[in-house]
Every structure is written in structure tokens, then in C-alpha cells.
């Protein structure tokens, strides 16, 4: 869950991270200059009998309201879809870790189980940091071995490197095959 530090309403008003105001400011400034010019030359424009009907502004207002309503709905749908996918990822990761932990017995598998679960946890943390655009180094140092952590240091998209590490080592496939050969895991699970 993303938690923000508590700020006053004035601090929240001027917070620019995640805000569209920096993108809108140039357009608002141009519109402001345009209205200043119109107001300044209002008397000279009225000499030419240039009157604007107010129905035009009503039509633009209705179109703008429909557009903003549609955009807000689409934005919320995208947020909700991301939330569902993130929840599914966490549930699947927990299920896989639980299966790796509970269905395999024996003291000789403890180190391999722990390493596999730490790799799954590192994958989820790397995805979290990638999506939030934060620094994942503290979590990667805690969860990955030194050799695996060195492979992720120079990359921009760290989750794919962790997936590649899992695939290159063929850890999951080799581990499951060994468990099947040793009779610790049946073919149905």
C-alpha cells in the first residue's frame, strides 16, 4: 500500500509529484495572455459589433463535461485493473511459495526452498519498485545473493533480470524434477 506523509491542505495544494499541473501551466499561461489581450482591446472590438453568442460556450461546456467524465471513468478502470493484477500476482506468488514450503519435506531441501522463496519475493519487490520508480537496492540486497544482486545492479528493468536468473539457473524445473525423482512430490501437484 502506498502511504504518504500527512500534510496540511496547503501543502497538498502545491504538491507537484503525480500532478498534471506542470503539463497544463504552459497552456493556461497562453490562455491567460489571450484573455488579457481580449479584455484590453474590448472597446475597440465592440466598435466592429463583434458579439459572441453564449450558446457556443454552453456547447463547449457540455462536450468538455462528457470528455472529462469519460476520461475519469477510463482512468479509474485502469487503476482497478492494475489493482486486480497486482493482487493476483501476490496471491499466485504466495501460493507458489506455500507449495514449495509445505509439499517438500526433508532437511536437505531447506536451503533450496529458502532460496526459491527469496527469489519469488525479490521478483515482487523489484516489480513494486519498478512501478513506483523508487530505488530497489535495499530490498534487493536483503533478498538476493551477492552474485544475483550484482547481475541486477546495472540493469534498468530489474524484474526481468530476476526472471532471467530463475530461468537461466532452471531452478524451478530442476528442483521439481529432483523432488519427483526422490519421491517427495507426486505428478498431480
Amino acid at each position: 500500500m502506498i502511504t504518504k506523509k500527512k500534510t496540511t491542505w496547503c501543502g497538498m495544494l502545491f504538491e507537484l509529484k503525480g500532478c498534471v499541473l506542470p503539463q497544463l501551466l504552459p497552456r493556461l499561461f497562453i490562455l491567460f495572455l489571450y484573455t488579457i489581450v481580449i479584455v484590453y482591446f474590448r472597446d475597440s472590438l465592440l466598435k466592429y459589433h463583434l458579439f459572441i453568442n453564449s450558446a457556443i460556450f454552453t456547447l463547449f461546456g457540455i462536450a468538455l463535461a462528457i470528455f472529462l467524465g469519460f476520461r475519469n471513468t477510463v482512468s479509474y478502470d485502469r487503476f482497478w485493473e492494475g489493482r486486480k493484477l497486482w493482487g493476483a500476482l501476490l496471491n499466485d506468488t504466495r501460493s507458489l511459495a506455500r507449495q514449495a514450503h509445505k509439499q517438500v519435506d526433508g532437511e536437505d531441501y531447506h536451503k533450496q526452498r529458502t532460496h526459491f522463496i527469496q527469489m519469488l519475493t525479490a521478483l515482487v519487490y523489484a516489480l513494486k519498485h519498478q512501478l513506483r520508480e523508487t530505488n530497489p537496492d535495499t530490498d534487493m540486497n536483503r533478498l538476493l545473493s551477492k552474485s544475483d544482486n550484482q547481475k541486477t545492479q546495472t540493469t534498468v528493468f530489474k524484474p526481468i533480470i530476476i526472471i532471467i536468473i530463475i530461468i537461466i539457473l532452471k531452478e524451478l524445473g530442476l528442483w521439481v524434477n529432483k523432488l519427483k525423482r526422490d519421491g517427495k512430490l507426486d505428478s498431480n501437484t
Side-chain angles (χ1 to χ4, degrees):
M1 184 166 85
I2 298 174
T3 56
K4 291 185 175 184
K5 62 180 182 175
K6 300 285 184 183
T7 58
T8 62
W9 69 270
C10 188
M12 218 182 316
L13 186 65
F14 294 108
E15 185 173 340
L16 294 179
K17 184 177 180 185
C19 182
V20 295
L21 188 61
Q23 297 168 354
L24 292 177
L25 277 178
R27 294 176 189 167
L28 288 174
F29 184 70
I30 291 170
L31 185 62
F32 177 69
L33 291 178
Y34 179 70
T35 53
I36 287 176
V37 169
I38 295 294
V39 169
Y40 184 74
F41 292 111
R42 179 180 55 141
D43 293 332
S44 61
L45 289 175
L46 290 177
K47 291 178 191 175
Y48 297 108
H49 301 290
L50 295 175
F51 293 104
I52 299 175
N53 192 354
S54 62
I56 295 172
F57 298 112
T58 305
L59 289 175
F60 277 129
I62 291 171
L64 186 63
I66 291 170
F67 174 71
L68 289 177
F70 175 74
R71 195 168 167 176
N72 189 31
T73 303
V74 169
S75 174
Y76 185 75
D77 286 344
R78 290 173 67 191
F79 161 76
W80 193 253
E81 184 68 23
R83 185 175 171 162
K84 287 191 314 188
L85 289 172
W86 184 257
L89 174 75
L90 290 180
N91 287 337
D92 292 344
T93 304
R94 278 190 211 120
S95 296
L96 187 57
R98 189 179 319 110
Q99 287 175 1
H101 186 68
K102 290 292 181 188
Q103 294 189 5
V104 179
D105 295 329
E107 197 58 39
D108 50 341
Y109 295 110
H110 179 71
K111 184 177 178 182
Q112 293 173 346
R113 249 191 331 230
T114 304
H115 180 65
F116 178 69
I117 291 172
Q118 283 179 332
M119 292 292 283
L120 284 175
T121 308
L123 174 65
V124 173
Y125 273 97
L127 280 170
K128 175 190 86 164
H129 287 292
Q130 186 73 32
L131 291 172
R132 292 184 184 175
E133 297 177 353
T134 57
N135 189 4
D137 290 340
T138 55
D139 288 327
M140 295 301 109
N141 290 336
R142 179 175 54 90
L143 294 168
L144 294 177
S145 64
K146 290 205 182 283
S147 63
D148 292 341
N149 197 12
Q150 287 175 351
K151 294 175 188 174
T152 63
Q153 288 298 322
T154 58
T155 59
V156 176
F157 190 67
K158 293 180 185 343
I160 196 70
I161 295 301
I162 295 171
I163 291 172
I164 289 172
I165 290 170
I166 291 173
I167 291 172
I168 288 175
L169 296 177
K170 297 180 185 176
E171 184 174 348
L172 180 60
L174 294 174
W175 191 49
V176 169
N177 282 335
K178 185 177 180 188
L179 292 173
K180 281 185 180 180
R181 276 185 270 130
D182 293 347
K184 301 283 184 182
L185 196 64
D186 64 356
S187 60
N188 292 333
T189 54

